[in-house]
């Protein structure tokens, strides 16, 4: 790779699959621009577009400007726009200057659409035919433009005004007699995306309709471009990454973990940590409020972490289950009552199971204590303590599953992202109320005895 | 829909998009089989395959056998296999009897591949040509079989033994002169999946190679079928759902939340809840161990929930960030040291921020107490208590981020699923050690004073 004669390297690279070249680039970071430079430019573009943003930036920086220009002009417009929007404004301007007139126009128009809109994903390289043409004429068009289209599995039919009339599968064209008119082949069932549609919405449309590409139109039904299913993969990836990060109690990173600057990483995490910390301070307030009870029955305090975390765990379970089901469309707001019914039953049962285990644990320890195996901290009222723990667990677990499952639905109803009701958020909410539930149950069983 | 004359209904259904028909079925559950029965059978199959398993089962049960047979025979083999494997063994046997000879053979062979393998996803409906054929002959083949293929965007080239030689895009065929031989068009760069490959692996291959379909071969390179990208969408969905559910501390449900039987739902949740509950009992043991200290300085116990949950929250954040980054391939085991370095820094900083806030809170309360606004519980040693809380927070948060970030990597190294280190799991782990850290710091500051 270091030798002056690049011919063998070129030969080698042109026989690899693009995914293997991408791996090579990750492994030989120091030579990444040498690798890209020594490939045929259309294959270099294929490799470049699947790289992470980090190597992409470095390669563009390290390559001579004429190579950069070649590469950028060769990139599919949607991938180019994706790459550009990761860069600072000044860098975008410099790079756009390198594009030829045609590509510059396309890129500038795509940068005009809001981020996360379908407009940013679409490619203008597709095949369209007019409805008055014949199959033979259509094939002539296809031969002319097929080299530059992302897919020719589907052909789009427009009228003189550029309005989208229908789509046609290439197989229908191949099977049709050459003299037949396009308008006699179409069935009028067309699914199109609006250029301002949300990308997540578009990904749902793809999933439900089994298409490899969908046409994109503006508000006047003018065909602007197409979106292909492989771009949807990355949309789905991003969507899920955001959901998972939010469930973990962080803001969405929007950048790979290892690439994001440390101060940004901390900023994304600290906000929620502080919010949770301030809310959790209410537990201290609650404990201070019950300080007389704790002083009288110190043993009660030993179980506080156990009770609290059981509520938190069952709440985390419930909220992630519901968030996940809402994310893939299994549950809508209208299902709240069905969810609530299930969670009341689940909460009662799960709470009862943990309650019985907790009860048994105290019973067992009591025996060990009464035989002097371990130090006696429960005293003569061990049975009442065991009942307190058991019933508190039922209450806390029920409360945890209920609030964990309802919170995402309520958030959705209020127009917020359900994934915001992260596991830590639910756990904190349940912690504070858990202490109140615990001491209330303790009052019922222990008033006049220990309290 | 209730009227005897079904012609208008049929007319109406045949003009809807299949995704709209699917919505209709969800809205009118009582008529779901009527809707399916009154559609052209190839469109009915299109609707049926995008329905959830619940309605699918009901429709098959409610339809007369001859209609069921028609529908099942029309379904693409991969979707049919998917549906069948959700049913009990006896039901599979009955339904397979309804298939015609050819479809039965295909389905039985696909059911023979392990679940989650590429074999279960593949469809045998694709176009193949022999390498010695000409472009013209290839088109003749395409015209003959195109009606039944899922995609003809890509054509597969085989030799006389049925071994896969290469793939060819239809555009290259359209652009080539009719007399040219296929073997002169191919470039020998082929990416194929093995029939036993894992589906998740296959989904990565699709993502990295920008293909709409990939060929599937056996160990002898014999072409068996193809997998199309739209099936990968569902694989990705399932994969992410499992990850999210595990992060929330449940076993993967494998069924939609609203459809899964309640006893199964509880079984999937209770195992982890019990494991966490038993581990969390260690907090009670730890607190009992420190009972003398708590008795001497009751005020220390008020802060236990706050300290514990801060560790748990920072741990949940770290572990979900790492799990997510590992799931989409951004982080591998080899990166552990880079992750650790980042998390030590993050943990120290996040801990310091929370520590300062905690310190200030005690200071503030001390002023309110000394002016008699609230009851004095800190006493004369408030400053030492404030230092204890502050430094404990640094320690606990650092420990939380460290164990949260390293656990997924360790699990992966041991061959387990990183997502098993769920938010509740990390929180519980950190809870127990958090108490130990807290009381150790308290010893340093308060020994001889309060303790």
């Amino acid at each position: 790779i270091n030798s002056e004669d690049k011919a063998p390297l070129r030969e080698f690279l042109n026989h690899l699959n693009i995914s293997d070249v991408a791996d090579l680039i990750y492994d030989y970071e120091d030579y990444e621009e040498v690798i890209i430079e020594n490939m045929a430019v259309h294959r270099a573009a294929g490799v470049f577009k699947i790289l992470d943003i980090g190597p992409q930036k470095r390669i563009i920086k390290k390559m001579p400007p004429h190579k950069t220009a070649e590469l950028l002009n060769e990139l599919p417009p949607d991938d180019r726009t994706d790459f550009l929007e990761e860069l600072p404004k000044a860098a975008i301007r410099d790079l756009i200057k390198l594009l030829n007139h045609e590509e510059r126009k396309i890129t500038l128009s795509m940068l005009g659409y809001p981020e996360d809109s379908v407009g940013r994903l679409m490619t203008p390289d597709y095949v369209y035919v007019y409805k008055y043409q014949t199959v033979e004429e259509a094939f002539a068009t296809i031969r002319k433009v097929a080299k530059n289209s992302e897919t020719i599995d589907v052909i789009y039919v427009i009228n003189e005004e550029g309005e989208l009339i229908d789509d046609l599968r290439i197989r229908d064209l191949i099977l049709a007699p050459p003299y037949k008119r396009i308008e006699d082949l179409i069935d009028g069932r067309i699914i199109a995306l609006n250029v301002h549609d949300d990308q997540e919405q578009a990904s749902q449309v793809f999933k439900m309709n089994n298409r490899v590409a969908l046409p994109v139109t503006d508000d006047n039904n003018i065909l602007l471009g197409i979106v292909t299913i492989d771009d949807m993969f990355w949309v789905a990836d991003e969507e899920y990454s955001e959901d998972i990060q939010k469930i973990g109690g962080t803001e969405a990173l929007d950048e790979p973990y290892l690439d994001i600057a440390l101060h940004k990483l901390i900023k994304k995490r600290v906000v929620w940590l502080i919010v949770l910390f301030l809310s959790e301070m209410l537990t201290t307030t609650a404990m201070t409020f019950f300080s007389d009870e704790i002083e009288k029955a110190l043993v009660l305090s030993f179980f506080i972490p156990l009770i609290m975390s059981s509520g938190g765990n069952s709440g985390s379970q419930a909220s992630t289950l519901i968030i996940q089901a809402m994310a893939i469309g299994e549950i809508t707001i209208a299902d709240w009552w069905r969810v609530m019914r299930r969670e009341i039953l689940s909460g009662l049962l799960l709470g009862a199971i943990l309650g019985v285990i907790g009860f048994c644990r105290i019973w067992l320890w009591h025996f060990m204590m009464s035989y002097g195996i371990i130090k006696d901290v429960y005293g003569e009222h061990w049975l009442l303590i065991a009942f307190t723990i058991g019933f508190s667990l039922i209450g806390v677990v029920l409360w945890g599953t209920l609030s964990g499952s309802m919170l995402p639905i309520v958030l959705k109803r209020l127009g917020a992202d359900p994934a915001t009701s992260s596991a830590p958020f639910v756990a904190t909410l349940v912690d504070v109320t858990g202490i109140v539930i615990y001491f209330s149950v303790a009052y019922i069983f222990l008033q006049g005895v220990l309290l």
Side-chain angles (χ1 to χ4, degrees), chain A:
Chain A
I1 202 164
N2 266 326
S3 83
E4 272 306 296
D5 181 15
K6 300 291 187 201
L9 175 64
R10 247 172 250 160
E11 181 71 5
F12 170 69
L13 289 175
N14 280 330
H15 279 87
L16 283 178
N17 284 317
I18 55 168
S19 57
D20 297 330
V21 179
D23 288 340
L24 211 64
I25 286 181
Y26 288 125
D27 292 344
Y28 297 94
E29 212 178 283
D30 294 343
Y31 297 104
E32 48 196 10
E33 84 284 7
V34 182
I35 294 173
I36 290 285
E37 278 175 44
N38 283 288
M39 295 177 72
V41 63
H42 73 275
R43 296 203 358 106
V47 173
F48 187 80
K49 73 183 201 182
I50 62 170
L51 292 176
D52 288 339
I53 178 75
Q56 281 183 338
K57 282 186 190 167
R58 286 197 304 269
I59 289 171
I60 290 292
K61 231 186 217 158
K62 288 194 275 188
M63 281 207 302
H66 73 278
K67 280 279 176 191
T68 309
E70 246 181 56
L71 182 69
L72 284 179
N73 278 301
E74 186 69 26
L75 270 186
D78 50 345
D79 295 301
R80 183 168 54 217
T81 316
D82 264 5
F83 168 64
L84 289 177
E85 74 192 26
E86 298 289 337
L87 304 176
K89 287 255 180 311
I92 298 181
R93 213 175 39 229
D94 289 347
L95 288 177
I96 283 182
K97 279 189 203 145
L98 296 175
L99 299 175
N100 65 40
H101 180 69
E102 192 56 32
E103 300 294 333
R104 196 183 297 184
K105 226 174 66 188
I106 295 169
T107 303
L108 283 175
S109 87
M110 287 176 77
L111 282 172
Y113 297 115
E115 204 168 351
D116 298 326
S117 75
V118 166
R120 287 292 183 98
L121 289 178
M122 68 181 180
T123 165
D125 297 332
Y126 57 93
V127 184
Y128 62 86
V129 296
Y130 291 97
K131 65 173 187 168
Y132 56 76
Q133 289 181 309
T134 63
V135 169
E136 200 167 9
E137 287 168 333
F139 267 112
T141 313
I142 293 171
R143 280 199 196 90
K144 215 161 50 199
V145 298
K147 259 223 129 66
N148 290 318
S149 330
E150 284 218 5
T151 175
I152 61 160
D153 224 7
V154 189
I155 311 290
Y156 299 92
V157 183
I158 58 173
N159 63 14
E160 291 86 338
E161 283 77 40
E163 287 173 71
L164 177 68
I165 306 293
D166 203 352
D167 53 2
L168 209 52
R169 309 201 66 158
I170 185 110
R171 78 173 62 159
D172 297 322
L173 275 184
I174 292 179
L175 295 174
Y179 54 82
K180 203 147 186 180
R181 277 182 182 281
I182 297 294
E183 53 192 337
D184 298 330
L185 289 175
I186 59 182
D187 61 2
R189 276 198 301 262
I190 174 80
I191 298 166
L193 300 169
N194 185 289
V195 70
H196 291 107
D197 277 353
D198 189 72
Q199 291 178 2
E200 297 189 15
Q201 241 173 292
S203 138
Q204 286 296 327
V205 177
F206 266 97
K207 207 152 57 181
M208 299 316 289
N209 289 287
N210 266 309
R211 301 291 177 104
V212 290
L214 284 175
V216 182
T217 59
D218 65 9
D219 297 333
N220 299 317
N221 197 31
I222 302 293
L223 181 62
L224 298 178
I226 64 166
V227 173
T228 52
I229 195 172
D230 51 303
D231 293 320
M232 286 301 128
F233 249 116
W234 300 99
V235 172
D237 250 20
E238 226 169 81
E239 194 180 324
Y240 277 112
S241 298
E242 273 180 28
D243 275 354
I244 292 186
Q245 287 167 349
K246 284 186 188 163
I247 288 174
T250 327
E251 290 169 56
L253 291 193
D254 299 328
E255 283 178 67
Y257 172 84
L258 285 176
D259 290 345
I260 193 170
L262 195 66
H263 70 272
K264 273 199 216 165
L265 179 65
I266 290 177
K267 220 176 95 188
K268 299 265 184 191
R269 290 159 77 163
V270 78
V271 177
W272 264 112
L273 271 191
I274 292 178
V275 171
L276 295 173
F277 186 71
L278 293 178
S279 329
E280 195 75 32
M281 278 184 181
L282 288 175
T283 59
T284 309
T285 311
M287 300 257 308
T288 315
F289 180 79
F290 291 115
S291 61
D292 289 345
E293 285 74 19
I294 297 177
E295 208 165 353
K296 277 189 234 158
L298 199 66
V299 60
L300 285 183
S301 74
F302 302 163
F303 294 99
I304 287 176
L306 184 65
I307 304 269
M308 271 173 40
S309 69
S310 302
N313 290 340
S314 53
S316 304
Q317 278 193 340
S319 80
T320 40
L321 282 178
I322 302 303
I323 292 170
Q324 180 270 325
M326 289 179 92
I328 64 170
E330 280 169 15
I331 293 181
T332 58
I333 299 174
D335 294 316
W336 73 272
W337 171 238
R338 289 175 67 191
V339 174
M340 192 156 174
R341 226 170 32 196
R342 299 206 110 193
E343 290 304 314
I344 290 179
L345 276 171
S346 305
L348 280 174
L349 257 160
L350 293 171
I353 294 171
L354 294 193
V356 168
I357 299 177
F359 186 91
C360 292
R361 139 81 141 130
I362 296 178
W363 197 10
L364 210 73
W365 258 239
H366 166 71
F367 271 103
M368 296 209 281
M369 285 167 184
S370 58
Y371 286 104
I373 302 171
I374 48 177
K375 197 178 93 181
D376 190 358
V377 289
Y378 299 160
E380 53 176 333
H381 300 300
W382 68 272
L383 193 62
L384 289 177
I385 295 174
F387 274 118
T388 304
I389 303 301
F391 280 96
S392 298
L393 280 168
I394 298 178
V396 168
V397 170
L398 176 61
W399 171 244
T401 53
L402 258 187
S403 44
S405 57
M406 288 300 115
L407 209 61
I409 299 182
V410 170
L411 283 173
K412 177 97 174 193
R413 183 73 194 71
L414 297 175
D417 184 348
T420 316
S421 63
S422 58
F425 183 59
V426 172
T428 300
L429 184 81
V430 176
D431 279 355
V432 182
T433 38
I435 292 182
V436 177
I437 294 176
Y438 179 41
F439 279 100
S440 308
V441 175
Y443 256 116
I444 298 174
F445 282 98
L446 298 172
Q447 201 169 24
V449 185
L450 273 173
L451 299 181

